[in-house]
Amino acid sequence: MTIAFVFAVCFIASTIGGICGIGGGVVIKPLLDATGIMSVSTVSFLSGLTVLAMACINVWKNRRSNELDAPRSIPLGIGAAVGGVAGKLMFSALKKAVNADNTVGAVQAIVLGIMVLGTLLYVLNKSRIKTKDIGGWVMPVVIGLVLGICSSFLGIGGGPMNLAVLYYFFSMDTKKAAVNSILIILLSQIASLILSLSTGSVPQFDWLILAGMVIAGALGGFLSARLHKKLSAALTDKLFIGLLVVIFGICIYNAVRMLA
């Protein structure tokens, strides 16, 4: 039952996350934390691998898409990769200092909840906000660095912050931002995985659950790439807003439960 439940969560989250460009980890991490079936560290690691599988398939399927803006996304991705390493180190330092999974999980839930709420408020008001169109390499790398730190520290492998950043700093529309966000997530997760393996910071996990999560992520990546081409920008926006509301609610629940 546990494997079937985790597979369903990862498949649905990866599909919706791939369509919206948030990766799926932002749903998988808080939802599995809420169930308590695995430790916070294990959920963070396995969620990252699930998102990596989804991103690999999604980016491959969209590699020829005219929505993929490589000159901007690659610098963002490079920054996110470096930030992913920094965020992982920050998470390890916090875990070592606190030495309590529930406290670490509560911190992650609170920070994620604040970011999700901020993103939701921005998306609801973005039609009234004047956007920028940043070029070059330096600022995209710096922005990607911040995104990578946030996503890796929170164990979500990406997140709604990517889309808000791509909307505001690069004037991308919803569908273009979604495609480029997944490329950023891919590069960030590769760096995070390399760090975990090289430092021996991989937590204990069930191999069957890992296999189920990765397969679910890959299938979600395949399906999301196909659905993305068929859905309108307006429908994608509504899906994204609904998802943000659900995630925010889960974050509140997790923070209260883990601090109780």
Side-chain angles (χ1 to χ4, degrees):
M1 177 62 71
T2 298
I3 295 177
F5 171 75
V6 172
F7 180 90
V9 167
C10 292
F11 175 68
I12 295 170
S14 295
T15 301
I16 298 174
I19 293 170
C20 297
I22 62 175
V26 70
V27 178
I28 297 168
K29 175 68 169 64
L31 192 54
L32 293 187
D33 277 346
T35 65
I37 58 178
M38 290 181 276
S39 71
V40 169
S41 300
T42 300
V43 172
S44 292
F45 179 71
L46 296 185
S47 173
L49 289 181
T50 305
V51 172
L52 177 59
M54 181 282 298
C56 284
I57 300 299
N58 191 287
V59 169
W60 175 256
K61 293 289 291 182
N62 283 309
R63 67 191 185 281
R64 294 191 179 93
S65 171
N66 57 12
E67 294 174 338
L68 191 62
D69 189 350
R72 286 179 173 175
S73 293
I74 289 178
L76 281 164
I78 291 172
V82 177
V85 172
K88 198 81 171 178
L89 293 174
M90 288 170 61
F91 174 79
S92 298
L94 176 63
K95 184 184 174 185
K96 185 177 180 180
V98 174
N99 196 29
D101 251 12
N102 274 357
T103 304
V104 173
V107 171
Q108 288 181 315
I110 292 169
V111 175
L112 179 58
I114 292 170
M115 290 184 170
V116 167
L117 180 59
T119 302
L120 178 60
L121 292 174
Y122 175 81
V123 172
L124 291 174
N125 294 281
K126 68 177 183 176
S127 62
R128 297 192 292 271
I129 299 173
K130 186 177 180 181
T131 60
K132 300 181 182 297
D133 192 8
I134 293 175
W137 276 70
V138 177
M139 280 306 296
V141 169
V142 172
I143 292 169
L145 178 70
V146 175
L147 289 174
I149 290 173
C150 293
S151 63
S152 184
F153 174 76
L154 296 174
I156 57 176
M161 302 80 69
N162 287 18
L163 293 189
V165 165
L166 292 173
Y167 292 156
Y168 180 72
F169 288 104
F170 303 98
S171 295
M172 292 187 184
D173 62 29
T174 300
K175 297 194 70 175
K176 186 172 184 178
V179 170
N180 288 278
S181 175
I182 299 299
L183 176 58
I184 296 166
I185 289 169
L186 172 63
L187 297 176
S188 174
Q189 282 307 297
I190 289 173
S192 182
L193 175 60
I194 291 173
L195 178 67
S196 294
L197 296 175
S198 62
T199 58
S201 58
V202 177
Q204 291 185 334
F205 59 86
D206 186 320
W207 283 95
L208 281 177
I209 290 180
L210 168 63
M213 291 177 73
V214 170
I215 292 171
L219 291 174
F222 178 81
L223 181 58
S224 65
R226 299 195 65 173
L227 291 176
H228 175 82
K229 298 173 182 177
K230 298 179 180 180
L231 298 179
S232 66
L235 185 55
T236 302
D237 261 342
K238 291 178 182 178
L239 185 62
F240 182 44
I241 290 169
L243 196 57
L244 289 176
V245 173
V246 171
I247 296 167
F248 183 66
I250 296 173
C251 287
I252 293 175
Y253 170 78
N254 282 341
V256 172
R257 181 180 67 85
M258 291 178 176
L259 289 174

